[in-house]
Amino acid sequence: MNEEELVEYFRAQMRKDPDMASAVAAIRTLLEFLKRDTGETILGLRENLTWATDCLTGVDSSVAVSSGGELFLRFISLTSLEHQVRGHAQTLHITAVIFADTPPVRC
């Protein structure tokens, strides 16, 4: 997924639901990016997701986008430390989907 596709996917998420928080749109975009990523290691995955988050921050400079991207990266990278990403791609993808679809806890 190149920068143009990434940005367009993010903008499409925001157009589809104008009430959606930019952090949620960013996380959904990163999830789509993860589906298409060809990284073989956790380090490669981290670098690619950091690049993608930086691209999204360039489009929407809100703290929500950078924080959402950082939280998403931390959540999925802890899932498969020191393992080949492709060997655990299904587990990683399921974990990322669970993260992206979990509603926030309200106090």
Side-chain angles (χ1 to χ4, degrees):
M1 186 175 229
N2 63 33
E3 184 173 356
E4 185 178 316
E5 293 171 321
L6 187 74
V7 169
E8 181 52 38
Y9 192 90
F10 175 75
R11 287 181 175 154
Q13 292 293 308
M14 297 298 289
R15 278 192 305 269
K16 188 166 86 174
D17 183 0
D19 294 330
M20 180 185 302
S22 57
V24 173
I27 290 170
R28 288 184 178 173
T29 302
L30 293 173
L31 178 59
E32 183 63 27
F33 178 82
L34 177 63
K35 288 179 192 175
R36 301 181 193 187
D37 187 50
T38 58
E40 299 267 332
T41 63
I42 292 296
L43 180 59
L45 176 67
R46 275 189 76 79
E47 289 172 351
N48 293 346
L49 282 173
T50 299
W51 171 83
T53 301
D54 290 344
C55 289
L56 295 177
T57 304
V59 174
D60 181 338
S61 60
S62 69
V63 173
V65 170
S66 59
S67 295
E70 181 100 7
L71 187 60
F72 181 77
L73 177 62
R74 187 173 303 137
F75 184 81
I76 65 163
S77 62
L78 289 174
T79 302
S80 49
L81 285 173
E82 300 179 10
H83 295 287
Q84 290 287 340
V85 173
R86 288 295 146 221
H88 300 282
Q90 187 65 27
T91 302
L92 187 59
H93 178 257
I94 290 168
T95 303
V97 168
I98 290 168
F99 174 79
D101 288 339
T102 301
V105 175
R106 300 200 188 262
C107 297

